[in-house]
Amino acid sequence: MRHLLTLENMPRAEITRLLDRAEAFRARGEQRALLAGRTVLNLFFENSTRTRTSFEIAARRLGADVINFDLSRSSTAKGESLLDTLHTLEAMKLDALIVRHNENRMPDWLAEHANSMVSVINAGDGSRAHPTQGLLDALTIRQRRGDFENLAIVICGDIRHSRVARSDVHAFTALGAHDIRLCAPRALLPEDANEFSGCAITEDFDAALESADVVIMLRIQKERMAAALLPADSDYFAQYGLDLRRLALAKPDAQVLHPGPLNRGVEIAGEVADGSQSRILDQVANGVPVRMAVMAELLTPSSP
Ligand code: NCD
């Protein structure tokens, strides 16, 4: 593996190996000799709090030098200028480019045009993929539940625009899940249901929650839709918000996940986000060893 662009079609063995490696890093903490002398560049064309920080901490714990290139306010355009940016960065002998972009497949485009040995890691492209989030969500679920085969997993919220939902479904399906329920109001359901073949799709959140083992809540991605699609916050919470009453419809020990950023009172009640079934901070914590595992895998190909 040279790049990590998507989890689509990634074999179960490969995902399991990354999760096992992440568990080993979680137990062991730092391993600063592993990427000593290597340079990793964070190239974020979209805002990010946890993903960028988590990549930075992960790279440092492996001993790499990290450079943060904040492009969110610049007007870097696609085409020639991005190619120039890429080659300029490559000339500085980078080992990995961690890319977040609002256009689908931009990390793939960079990987195709990279002419050195640089590895491209997708930190979220448009609505298409967020592979490290898919991996950390899988790890968070696996820590308490082990096997995915018998799990009922609900993903509720802005499925249409969610790269997290897509990468989660790819990871969970590869790991053997076959009861994945996607729930949203019609305007936020996927335009092409074939993209999520194998998942149940519903607008009825209460019904979807019945006997669920895992409930993943998603933010409404206002930045990816026309204002006309947007429901009012209070109407949305009434129908699709996860509060304690609704959570009681799931299994008593159901786990609640959310990739963040949270909008309390819109898709999730504070009492649930802060409650005993919430795994939200475990997800954040798991982000670091998962990203350590990915970087170790891509940048030290000969290591076991
Ligand atoms: C998500 C993202 O950016 O795709 N957040 C994250 O990376 N933790 C989800 C979101 O922005 O709603």
Side-chain angles (χ1 to χ4, degrees), residues 1-5 35 38-43 55 86 90 93-99 107-108 110-112 114-123 294-301:
M1 216 175 37
R2 172 161 162 216
H3 306 293
L4 177 64
L5 303 171
L35 296 186
R38 303 299 201 90
T39 306
V40 168
L41 184 110
N42 268 331
L43 191 61
F55 267 112
L86 173 67
E90 284 185 304
K93 303 240 182 300
L94 297 173
D95 296 284
L97 267 181
I98 297 161
V99 185
D108 304 53
L110 287 169
E112 275 159 34
N115 55 16
S116 66
M117 282 309 288
V118 73
S119 289
V120 176
I121 302 175
N122 182 2
V294 167
M295 285 188 273
E297 189 80 9
L298 298 180
L299 302 182
T300 59

Side-chain angles (χ1 to χ4, degrees), residues 50-51 100 130 133 163-164 219 221 259-261:
R50 64 218 87 207
T51 304
R100 169 168 287 194
H130 193 346
Q133 183 74 41
R163 53 200 178 203
V164 176
R219 178 179 73 91
Q221 305 207 13

